[in-house]
Amino acid sequence: MFKANLRHVALALACLAVGAPHMAGAQEDADAEVPDNPIDPAAMAALDEMSASLQQLASFTVTSEATSEIVLEAGQKIQFGAHVEVKVHRPDAFRVVSTADTQTREMFYDGKSFSLFAPKLNYYATFDAPPTIGQTIDKARTEFGLEVPLADLFIWGTDQTMRSRILGAMVIRPETIGSRTCMHYAFRQQRVDWQVWIDQGPRPLPCKLVITNRDDAAMPQYTAVLTWDTTTPVSAAELAFTPPAGATPIAISEVPEAEETAQ
Amino acid sequence: MTSRDPMRVLAFGTLSIALAAVPLPALAVDAASRGVHMATPLPEAVREAPGQAALMAPPRGRPSHGGGNRPNAGRPNHNRPSHNRPSHGHRPPARGSSHVTINHYENNSHHGGHHHHDHWDSWDDHWHPVRTAATVAVTAAVVGSIVRSVPPNCSTVIVNGISYSQCGNTWYQPQYAGSSVQYVVVNPPR
């Protein structure tokens, strides 16, 4: 009895501590329990589920109709479309082909090296790559300033830091994308807002991705609607890069820390 | 969570989307009032990247093979009026672009688009527009300067296993900077 009474007192004190500053009803007290948490755990859980689902795929093909935007100096945004095809054979091979009127590039990784090929120009460059897809994508970005389109799809679930960068997470609502019903989530990072729509079917894979660059006041966006093929096997061999006849190797410049002369 | 939370979440979501769709109403009005038409020729723009700017010395130079006219013959995309390039006013330079991944900046300390070699920044493989129309003027190519494209009548020459683009007396060495190809003016290798 005594113990129970003590517990009641403690509870009452706790309630007072929470409720006192507001001097408000129980309804608002309940809200105050999650006062300013901008991260909805449900959104994070959905992200984890999607990551796990992505990691379960031994190989896959994703095709995407993507749009990107360039911001002119006056703030006007110009949008371009591209078709992106991503083929992955875990753990150590991928091919990403981005086809656009503005620029067409093919990127290959075979567990040992990364190759970048410009079919129209017929130039390719190769650098030694780490043993995993995640490390390779990181090296491409940090050492060569090279962004692999839709790279997030490869590394969700393996890059533990992705979770920690999220400053805000919201569940929006279920939405229809083509024939799919996908739950819409919105996330906020320091310099980037992004949204993902996750398939509510048996496999929680991303249906759509929107990335908003907040560095620029015009907030240019990248949008990609994703179509998945998880059944057709992708072999490492079909992802290999063989320079076409007439293609010439050229250098790829490393990201300069300071001034760099390119000779 | 209370029963009120979903509504609050929805309200925030709607606001966020509205902002994303029309980030700056003033800009939207501005663009509309100018009656900008999106048909060809496209506005001229290049990446506005401090890191790259450092590489480009001079960034707006367009060294030539000594001629000055830039015939389009032999270029795959000859329907583009590159010999009739609109003035600067019609081809404003770009200052930034969208990102293709969500952790574009997160793993490094480069700010403001340093080494901003985005996949999407180039407007074309064969004819990278330069910043200003001042490039129509041709001067001797300075060794070490970097351009985004070479004149159309250059030929690819391989010397000691290295690819060059030879344009008259001027030799360029192509290289990737991010996903873009740029050309460094070099001393003749032979």
Side-chain angles (χ1 to χ4, degrees):
Chain A
M1 278 301 270
F2 187 60
K3 273 181 188 168
N5 277 341
L6 262 186
R7 208 179 300 147
H8 282 137
V9 169
L11 267 176
L13 281 174
C15 284
L16 269 178
V18 172
H22 302 283
M23 300 299 286
Q27 180 75 57
E28 288 202 11
D29 285 347
D31 274 356
E33 281 175 22
V34 279
D36 293 303
N37 183 12
I39 296 179
D40 184 340
M44 298 304 286
L47 202 54
D48 290 342
E49 217 176 287
M50 180 190 74
S51 301
S53 184
L54 283 166
Q55 292 301 316
Q56 279 166 15
L57 300 172
S59 69
F60 61 85
T61 302
V62 182
T63 52
S64 172
E65 296 309 318
T67 61
S68 60
E69 292 176 331
I70 284 178
V71 183
L72 305 184
E73 276 189 352
Q76 183 183 4
K77 289 196 288 188
I78 308 297
Q79 187 184 83
F80 294 102
H83 178 81
V84 181
E85 184 195 70
V86 174
K87 279 181 179 285
V88 175
H89 175 89
R90 290 196 198 277
D92 58 3
F94 67 71
R95 184 183 76 199
V96 177
V97 177
S98 171
T99 307
D101 294 313
T102 46
Q103 189 183 78
T104 295
R105 292 291 181 269
E106 300 175 4
M107 302 179 188
F108 302 83
Y109 169 63
D110 62 3
K112 296 187 182 74
S113 59
F114 180 102
S115 297
L116 169 65
F117 178 55
K120 287 184 199 165
L121 297 170
N122 229 2
Y123 289 134
Y124 67 94
T126 299
F127 59 82
D128 292 338
T132 70
I133 290 174
Q135 289 170 326
T136 299
I137 284 166
D138 193 53
K139 178 174 182 174
R141 184 179 70 247
T142 56
E143 292 186 27
F144 297 101
L146 188 60
E147 291 283 353
V148 179
L150 299 176
D152 301 316
L153 297 178
F154 308 156
I155 54 178
W156 257 317
T158 58
D159 182 351
Q160 299 306 318
T161 62
M162 289 181 84
R163 203 187 153 90
S164 67
R165 292 187 205 113
I166 292 172
L167 307 174
M170 291 187 291
V171 182
I172 309 298
R173 57 159 293 146
E175 291 164 27
T176 304
I177 295 176
S179 58
R180 297 169 288 183
T181 303
C182 311
M183 188 64 90
H184 183 181
Y185 301 91
F187 299 87
R188 169 152 281 205
Q189 294 179 184
Q190 196 181 351
R191 312 170 75 161
V192 169
D193 289 344
W194 55 280
Q195 301 166 70
V196 66
W197 286 252
I198 300 178
D199 200 326
Q200 292 200 287
R203 247 191 233 282
L205 295 172
C207 309
K208 183 179 175 181
L209 185 63
V210 170
I211 303 169
T212 307
N213 171 11
R214 296 212 326 270
D215 269 346
D216 192 297
M219 295 204 278
Q221 289 200 129
Y222 178 77
T223 303
V225 177
L226 308 170
T227 305
W228 292 83
D229 179 354
T230 57
T231 51
T232 309
V234 177
S235 71
E238 69 182 284
L239 305 183
F241 175 58
T242 308
T248 39
I250 62 173
I252 180 166
S253 60
E254 294 190 22
V255 171
E257 282 305 321
E259 290 275 320
E260 175 186 298
T261 54
Q263 296 185 56
Chain B
M1 284 278 177
T2 73
S3 60
R4 298 170 62 196
D5 281 332
M7 288 196 63
R8 190 167 62 172
V9 164
L10 258 185
F12 274 128
T14 307
L15 176 64
S16 175
I17 290 163
L19 282 174
V22 188
L24 287 178
L27 283 180
V29 169
D30 187 35
S33 66
R34 281 190 212 157
V36 176
H37 30 82
M38 301 297 294
T40 55
L42 290 166
E44 175 172 5
V46 295
R47 296 173 300 187
E48 192 60 25
Q52 174 123 7
L55 271 175
M56 301 170 62
R60 48 191 78 180
R62 192 182 182 83
S64 108
H65 49 293
N69 71 339
R70 302 170 58 248
N72 246 346
R75 305 290 279 178
N77 42 359
H78 42 74
N79 57 346
R80 187 172 5 161
S82 63
H83 54 281
N84 185 23
R85 291 159 59 202
S87 68
H88 183 200
H90 295 114
R91 290 174 173 267
R95 69 184 191 193
S97 71
S98 51
H99 303 324
V100 299
T101 61
I102 63 176
N103 59 348
H104 182 82
Y105 287 121
E106 309 288 343
N107 275 350
N108 59 57
S109 57
H110 304 292
H111 282 223
H114 190 69
H115 81 78
H116 195 245
H117 302 307
D118 257 324
H119 191 72
W120 312 97
D121 291 354
S122 299
W123 294 57
D124 189 272
D125 273 339
H126 288 275
W127 187 78
H128 299 280
V130 282
R131 281 202 67 186
T132 71
T135 57
V136 173
V138 283
T139 54
V142 177
V143 169
S145 64
I146 296 177
V147 295
R148 296 175 183 281
S149 65
V150 292
N153 61 339
C154 302
S155 52
T156 296
V157 179
I158 296 178
V159 180
N160 296 328
I162 298 171
S163 298
Y164 296 92
S165 205
Q166 184 189 6
C167 317
N169 292 326
T170 305
W171 290 70
Y172 299 89
Q173 190 174 335
Q175 65 176 20
Y176 278 105
S179 63
S180 294
V181 174
Q182 55 181 210
Y183 300 83
V184 187
V185 179
V186 296
N187 287 310
R190 64 181 186 196

CSV table of all heavy atoms in Angstrom, one decimal, chain A residues 41-78:
chain,number,residue,atom,x,y,z
A,41,PRO,N,8.5,8.7,-35.6
A,41,PRO,CA,9.1,7.4,-35.6
A,41,PRO,C,8.5,6.5,-36.7
A,41,PRO,O,9.2,5.6,-37.2
A,41,PRO,CB,8.8,6.8,-34.2
A,41,PRO,CG,8.5,8.0,-33.4
A,41,PRO,CD,7.9,9.1,-34.3
A,42,ALA,N,7.3,6.7,-37.0
A,42,ALA,CA,6.6,5.9,-38.1
A,42,ALA,C,7.3,6.1,-39.4
A,42,ALA,O,7.5,5.1,-40.2
A,42,ALA,CB,5.1,6.2,-38.2
A,43,ALA,N,7.7,7.3,-39.7
A,43,ALA,CA,8.4,7.6,-41.0
A,43,ALA,C,9.8,6.9,-41.0
A,43,ALA,O,10.2,6.3,-42.0
A,43,ALA,CB,8.5,9.1,-41.2
A,44,MET,N,10.4,7.0,-39.8
A,44,MET,CA,11.8,6.3,-39.8
A,44,MET,C,11.6,4.8,-39.9
A,44,MET,O,12.5,4.2,-40.5
A,44,MET,CB,12.4,6.7,-38.4
A,44,MET,CG,12.7,8.2,-38.3
A,44,MET,SD,13.7,8.9,-39.6
A,44,MET,CE,15.3,8.3,-39.2
A,45,ALA,N,10.6,4.3,-39.3
A,45,ALA,CA,10.4,2.8,-39.3
A,45,ALA,C,10.1,2.4,-40.8
A,45,ALA,O,10.6,1.4,-41.3
A,45,ALA,CB,9.2,2.4,-38.4
A,46,ALA,N,9.4,3.2,-41.5
A,46,ALA,CA,9.1,2.9,-42.9
A,46,ALA,C,10.4,2.9,-43.7
A,46,ALA,O,10.6,2.1,-44.6
A,46,ALA,CB,8.1,3.9,-43.5
A,47,LEU,N,11.2,3.9,-43.4
A,47,LEU,CA,12.5,4.0,-44.1
A,47,LEU,C,13.3,2.8,-43.8
A,47,LEU,O,14.0,2.2,-44.8
A,47,LEU,CB,13.2,5.3,-43.6
A,47,LEU,CG,14.3,5.9,-44.5
A,47,LEU,CD1,13.7,6.2,-45.8
A,47,LEU,CD2,14.8,7.1,-43.8
A,48,ASP,N,13.3,2.3,-42.6
A,48,ASP,CA,14.1,1.1,-42.3
A,48,ASP,C,13.6,-0.1,-43.0
A,48,ASP,O,14.3,-0.9,-43.5
A,48,ASP,CB,14.0,0.9,-40.7
A,48,ASP,CG,14.8,1.9,-40.0
A,48,ASP,OD1,15.7,2.6,-40.6
A,48,ASP,OD2,14.6,2.1,-38.8
A,49,GLU,N,12.3,-0.2,-43.1
A,49,GLU,CA,11.6,-1.3,-43.8
A,49,GLU,C,12.0,-1.3,-45.2
A,49,GLU,O,12.3,-2.3,-45.8
A,49,GLU,CB,10.1,-1.2,-43.6
A,49,GLU,CG,9.4,-2.5,-43.4
A,49,GLU,CD,7.9,-2.2,-43.2
A,49,GLU,OE1,7.6,-1.7,-42.1
A,49,GLU,OE2,7.1,-2.4,-44.1
A,50,MET,N,11.9,-0.1,-45.8
A,50,MET,CA,12.3,0.0,-47.2
A,50,MET,C,13.8,-0.3,-47.4
A,50,MET,O,14.1,-1.1,-48.4
A,50,MET,CB,12.1,1.5,-47.7
A,50,MET,CG,12.4,1.7,-49.2
A,50,MET,SD,12.4,3.4,-49.7
A,50,MET,CE,13.9,4.0,-48.9
A,51,SER,N,14.6,0.1,-46.5
A,51,SER,CA,16.1,-0.2,-46.7
A,51,SER,C,16.3,-1.7,-46.6
A,51,SER,O,17.1,-2.2,-47.4
A,51,SER,CB,16.8,0.5,-45.5
A,51,SER,OG,16.6,1.9,-45.6
A,52,ALA,N,15.6,-2.3,-45.7
A,52,ALA,CA,15.8,-3.8,-45.5
A,52,ALA,C,15.3,-4.5,-46.8
A,52,ALA,O,15.9,-5.4,-47.3
A,52,ALA,CB,15.0,-4.3,-44.3
A,53,SER,N,14.2,-4.0,-47.4
A,53,SER,CA,13.7,-4.6,-48.6
A,53,SER,C,14.7,-4.4,-49.7
A,53,SER,O,14.9,-5.3,-50.5
A,53,SER,CB,12.3,-3.9,-48.9
A,53,SER,OG,11.8,-4.6,-50.0
A,54,LEU,N,15.3,-3.2,-49.8
A,54,LEU,CA,16.3,-3.0,-50.8
A,54,LEU,C,17.5,-3.9,-50.7
A,54,LEU,O,18.0,-4.5,-51.6
A,54,LEU,CB,16.8,-1.5,-50.8
A,54,LEU,CG,15.8,-0.5,-51.4
A,54,LEU,CD1,16.3,0.9,-50.9
A,54,LEU,CD2,15.8,-0.6,-52.9
A,55,GLN,N,17.9,-4.1,-49.4
A,55,GLN,CA,19.1,-4.9,-49.2
A,55,GLN,C,18.8,-6.4,-49.5
A,55,GLN,O,19.7,-7.2,-49.7
A,55,GLN,CB,19.5,-4.8,-47.7
A,55,GLN,CG,20.1,-3.4,-47.4
A,55,GLN,CD,21.3,-3.1,-48.2
A,55,GLN,OE1,22.1,-3.9,-48.4
A,55,GLN,NE2,21.3,-1.9,-48.8
A,56,GLN,N,17.5,-6.8,-49.4
A,56,GLN,CA,17.2,-8.2,-49.7
A,56,GLN,C,17.3,-8.6,-51.1
A,56,GLN,O,17.4,-9.7,-51.5
A,56,GLN,CB,15.8,-8.5,-49.2
A,56,GLN,CG,15.6,-8.7,-47.7
A,56,GLN,CD,14.2,-8.7,-47.3
A,56,GLN,OE1,13.3,-8.7,-48.1
A,56,GLN,NE2,14.0,-8.6,-46.0
A,57,LEU,N,17.3,-7.6,-52.0
A,57,LEU,CA,17.4,-7.9,-53.4
A,57,LEU,C,18.8,-8.2,-53.8
A,57,LEU,O,19.7,-7.4,-53.7
A,57,LEU,CB,16.9,-6.6,-54.2
A,57,LEU,CG,15.5,-6.2,-53.9
A,57,LEU,CD1,15.2,-4.9,-54.7
A,57,LEU,CD2,14.5,-7.3,-54.4
A,58,ALA,N,19.0,-9.4,-54.3
A,58,ALA,CA,20.4,-9.8,-54.7
A,58,ALA,C,20.7,-9.1,-56.0
A,58,ALA,O,21.9,-8.8,-56.2
A,58,ALA,CB,20.5,-11.3,-54.9
A,59,SER,N,19.8,-8.9,-56.8
A,59,SER,CA,20.0,-8.2,-58.1
A,59,SER,C,18.7,-7.5,-58.5
A,59,SER,O,17.6,-8.0,-58.1
A,59,SER,CB,20.5,-9.1,-59.2
A,59,SER,OG,19.5,-10.0,-59.6
A,60,PHE,N,18.8,-6.4,-59.1
A,60,PHE,CA,17.5,-5.8,-59.5
A,60,PHE,C,17.8,-4.8,-60.7
A,60,PHE,O,19.0,-4.4,-60.9
A,60,PHE,CB,16.9,-5.0,-58.4
A,60,PHE,CG,17.7,-4.0,-57.7
A,60,PHE,CD1,17.7,-2.7,-58.3
A,60,PHE,CD2,18.4,-4.2,-56.6
A,60,PHE,CE1,18.4,-1.6,-57.7
A,60,PHE,CE2,19.2,-3.2,-56.0
A,60,PHE,CZ,19.2,-1.9,-56.5
A,61,THR,N,16.8,-4.4,-61.3
A,61,THR,CA,16.8,-3.4,-62.4
A,61,THR,C,15.8,-2.3,-62.0
A,61,THR,O,14.6,-2.6,-61.7
A,61,THR,CB,16.5,-3.9,-63.8
A,61,THR,OG1,17.5,-5.0,-64.0
A,61,THR,CG2,16.6,-2.9,-64.8
A,62,VAL,N,16.2,-1.1,-62.0
A,62,VAL,CA,15.3,0.0,-61.8
A,62,VAL,C,15.4,0.9,-63.0
A,62,VAL,O,16.5,1.3,-63.4
A,62,VAL,CB,15.6,0.9,-60.6
A,62,VAL,CG1,14.6,2.0,-60.4
A,62,VAL,CG2,15.6,0.0,-59.3
A,63,THR,N,14.2,1.3,-63.6
A,63,THR,CA,14.3,2.3,-64.6
A,63,THR,C,13.5,3.5,-64.1
A,63,THR,O,12.6,3.4,-63.3
A,63,THR,CB,13.6,1.8,-65.9
A,63,THR,OG1,12.3,1.3,-65.6
A,63,THR,CG2,14.5,0.8,-66.6
A,64,SER,N,13.9,4.7,-64.5
A,64,SER,CA,13.3,5.9,-64.0
A,64,SER,C,13.2,6.9,-65.0
A,64,SER,O,14.1,7.1,-65.8
A,64,SER,CB,14.2,6.4,-62.8
A,64,SER,OG,13.7,7.6,-62.4
A,65,GLU,N,12.1,7.6,-65.0
A,65,GLU,CA,12.0,8.9,-65.7
A,65,GLU,C,12.3,9.9,-64.7
A,65,GLU,O,11.6,10.0,-63.6
A,65,GLU,CB,10.6,9.0,-66.3
A,65,GLU,CG,10.2,8.0,-67.3
A,65,GLU,CD,11.2,7.8,-68.4
A,65,GLU,OE1,11.8,8.9,-68.9
A,65,GLU,OE2,11.6,6.7,-68.8
A,66,ALA,N,13.3,10.7,-64.9
A,66,ALA,CA,13.7,11.7,-63.9
A,66,ALA,C,13.7,13.1,-64.5
A,66,ALA,O,13.9,13.2,-65.7
A,66,ALA,CB,15.2,11.3,-63.5
A,67,THR,N,13.5,14.0,-63.7
A,67,THR,CA,13.6,15.4,-64.1
A,67,THR,C,14.6,16.1,-63.2
A,67,THR,O,14.7,15.8,-62.0
A,67,THR,CB,12.3,16.2,-64.1
A,67,THR,OG1,11.8,16.2,-62.8
A,67,THR,CG2,11.3,15.6,-65.0
A,68,SER,N,15.4,17.0,-63.7
A,68,SER,CA,16.3,17.8,-62.9
A,68,SER,C,16.2,19.2,-63.3
A,68,SER,O,15.6,19.5,-64.4
A,68,SER,CB,17.7,17.3,-63.1
A,68,SER,OG,18.1,17.4,-64.4
A,69,GLU,N,16.7,20.1,-62.5
A,69,GLU,CA,16.5,21.5,-62.7
A,69,GLU,C,17.8,22.2,-62.6
A,69,GLU,O,18.6,22.0,-61.7
A,69,GLU,CB,15.5,22.1,-61.8
A,69,GLU,CG,14.1,21.6,-62.0
A,69,GLU,CD,13.1,22.1,-60.9
A,69,GLU,OE1,13.5,22.4,-59.8
A,69,GLU,OE2,11.9,22.3,-61.3
A,70,ILE,N,18.0,23.2,-63.5
A,70,ILE,CA,19.1,24.1,-63.4
A,70,ILE,C,18.6,25.5,-63.1
A,70,ILE,O,17.5,25.8,-63.5
A,70,ILE,CB,19.9,24.1,-64.8
A,70,ILE,CG1,20.7,22.9,-64.9
A,70,ILE,CG2,20.8,25.4,-64.9
A,70,ILE,CD1,21.5,22.8,-66.2
A,71,VAL,N,19.2,26.1,-62.2
A,71,VAL,CA,18.8,27.5,-61.8
A,71,VAL,C,19.7,28.5,-62.5
A,71,VAL,O,20.9,28.5,-62.3
A,71,VAL,CB,18.9,27.7,-60.3
A,71,VAL,CG1,18.4,29.0,-59.9
A,71,VAL,CG2,18.2,26.6,-59.5
A,72,LEU,N,19.0,29.4,-63.3
A,72,LEU,CA,19.8,30.4,-63.9
A,72,LEU,C,20.1,31.5,-62.9
A,72,LEU,O,19.5,31.5,-61.8
A,72,LEU,CB,19.0,31.0,-65.1
A,72,LEU,CG,18.5,30.0,-66.1
A,72,LEU,CD1,17.8,30.7,-67.3
A,72,LEU,CD2,19.7,29.2,-66.6
A,73,GLU,N,21.0,32.4,-63.2
A,73,GLU,CA,21.5,33.3,-62.2
A,73,GLU,C,20.4,34.2,-61.7
A,73,GLU,O,20.4,34.7,-60.6
A,73,GLU,CB,22.7,34.1,-62.7
A,73,GLU,CG,24.0,33.4,-62.5
A,73,GLU,CD,25.2,34.2,-62.8
A,73,GLU,OE1,25.0,35.3,-63.3
A,73,GLU,OE2,26.3,33.7,-62.6
A,74,ALA,N,19.4,34.4,-62.5
A,74,ALA,CA,18.3,35.3,-62.1
A,74,ALA,C,17.3,34.5,-61.2
A,74,ALA,O,16.3,35.1,-60.8
A,74,ALA,CB,17.6,35.9,-63.3
A,75,GLY,N,17.5,33.2,-61.0
A,75,GLY,CA,16.6,32.5,-60.2
A,75,GLY,C,15.6,31.6,-61.0
A,75,GLY,O,14.9,30.9,-60.4
A,76,GLN,N,15.6,31.8,-62.3
A,76,GLN,CA,14.7,31.0,-63.1
A,76,GLN,C,15.1,29.6,-63.2
A,76,GLN,O,16.3,29.3,-63.4
A,76,GLN,CB,14.6,31.6,-64.5
A,76,GLN,CG,13.6,31.0,-65.4
A,76,GLN,CD,13.7,31.6,-66.8
A,76,GLN,OE1,14.5,32.5,-67.1
A,76,GLN,NE2,12.8,31.2,-67.7
A,77,LYS,N,14.2,28.7,-63.1
A,77,LYS,CA,14.5,27.3,-63.1
A,77,LYS,C,14.2,26.7,-64.5
A,77,LYS,O,13.2,26.9,-65.1
A,77,LYS,CB,13.8,26.5,-62.1
A,77,LYS,CG,14.3,26.8,-60.7
A,77,LYS,CD,13.8,25.8,-59.7
A,77,LYS,CE,12.3,25.9,-59.4
A,77,LYS,NZ,11.9,25.0,-58.3
A,78,ILE,N,15.1,25.9,-65.0
A,78,ILE,CA,15.0,25.2,-66.3
A,78,ILE,C,15.0,23.7,-66.0
A,78,ILE,O,15.9,23.2,-65.4
A,78,ILE,CB,16.1,25.6,-67.2
A,78,ILE,CG1,16.3,27.1,-67.4
A,78,ILE,CG2,15.9,24.9,-68.6
A,78,ILE,CD1,15.1,27.8,-67.9
